[in-house]
Amino acid sequence: MKKIVVLTGAGMSAESGLSTFRDADGLWEQYPVQKVASHEGWLADPVFVNDFYNMLRGKMLDKRPCRGHELVAELEKYYDVTVVTQNVDNLHEQAGSSKVIHLHGELMKACSSDNPDDTRYHVQLTADHYEVAPGEKAGDGSLLRPFIVFFGEAVPMITVAAEAVMEADMLIIIGTSLAVYPAAGLIRYTKPGIPIYLIDPKPVTAYGNITYIAKGASDGMAELMEKLNISE
């Protein structure tokens, strides 16, 4: 089966009703980045940081995949598909995608604040238990923190994502401005000449063998399925 990598950003989850971070009315307008998404912010007030992500989880619990998520999952009937997402929600998994690489972490997980990437200390949160309580500890005795890549921290899954892109026979980019690095740099790892489809209602600056579909995630994926001769 041909290999497809689908790179998704905030525009995909926005269609499911999740607030974006960077738009004019996004979360960073309401919550300063340095307070809730940096190591310095965590050290200054871990309770405030955990409360912020508890709030985000609460908002996510009733959200469901949009048609775009579902169509990405449907591609697996015809291709070997790897989803690389900048989003921290689990909507791709809910839609049925079986291989999902989360570049920026996963909202429904908590981790050790001393060893955030050590999977032995990861905690899978659930709809019945989605809040991290003040003072709650990880298995190594450190405070539990959100399993989110804070600004300034390394992106441990970027190498895995780059390897997937290097093997891809097609790249599909959905709902991202290609402004956030290192994720935006993944397009440079494609094999020469492979088709690249970029789905976004807003203009995006990108270079290469790109077919631009100026639509939202769901309508854009529906158009792409037609281009690929896949009937919904």
Side-chain angles (χ1 to χ4, degrees):
M1 295 178 79
K2 285 191 173 183
K3 294 179 182 291
I4 289 182
V5 168
V6 183
L7 173 63
T8 66
M12 174 67 89
S13 296
E15 291 198 13
S16 292
L18 286 174
S19 298
T20 62
F21 286 85
R22 293 174 178 273
D23 286 343
D25 58 348
L27 286 166
W28 294 151
E29 289 290 314
Q30 306 167 54
Y31 301 92
V33 174
Q34 290 302 319
K35 288 192 70 173
V36 297
S38 73
H39 189 64
E40 293 75 19
W42 167 259
L43 293 176
D45 195 342
V47 173
F48 183 82
V49 173
N50 271 329
D51 282 349
F52 172 76
Y53 290 95
N54 288 341
M55 176 272 293
L56 288 187
R57 292 185 201 103
K59 289 179 178 290
M60 191 179 80
L61 291 178
D62 65 344
K63 302 301 187 244
R64 296 294 175 261
C66 69
R67 186 63 179 144
H69 289 106
E70 293 168 351
L71 292 176
V72 168
E74 195 170 318
L75 281 175
E76 292 192 17
K77 296 177 183 176
Y78 312 95
Y79 299 93
D80 178 357
V81 181
T82 299
V83 176
V84 178
T85 186
Q86 299 173 76
N87 301 329
V88 296
D89 57 64
N90 58 8
L91 294 173
H92 279 297
E93 288 90 342
Q94 285 188 43
S97 290
S98 61
K99 290 194 291 186
V100 183
I101 298 170
H102 284 271
L103 291 179
H104 298 154
E106 298 177 60
L107 189 57
M108 290 304 290
K109 288 183 180 178
C111 62
S112 156
S113 50
D114 285 349
N115 303 286
D117 299 321
D118 193 327
T119 56
R120 294 176 298 172
Y121 307 124
H122 287 184
V123 175
Q124 180 67 56
L125 302 170
T126 66
D128 295 328
H129 181 80
Y130 66 87
E131 294 187 335
V132 175
E136 194 170 348
K137 299 287 182 66
D140 62 354
S142 69
L143 287 175
L144 271 179
R145 59 162 264 190
F147 183 54
I148 300 294
V149 177
F150 289 155
F151 282 90
E153 292 183 331
V155 180
M157 296 305 292
I158 194 67
T159 300
V160 179
E163 289 170 351
V165 172
M166 284 190 283
E167 295 179 357
D169 301 302
M170 181 189 305
L171 177 65
I172 303 170
I173 303 168
I174 308 172
T176 173
S177 62
L178 294 178
V180 179
Y181 283 83
L186 287 171
I187 195 171
R188 300 174 186 166
Y189 289 88
T190 54
K191 290 185 288 192
I194 71 162
I196 301 172
Y197 294 93
L198 200 161
I199 299 170
D200 201 287
K202 301 175 184 176
V204 177
T205 301
Y207 304 96
N209 182 32
I210 295 174
T211 300
Y212 181 54
I213 299 175
K215 293 183 177 180
S218 297
D219 290 342
M221 270 303 299
E223 181 174 322
L224 178 56
M225 298 292 261
E226 290 183 9
K227 289 179 181 291
L228 299 177
N229 295 315
I230 297 173
S231 57
E232 296 183 43

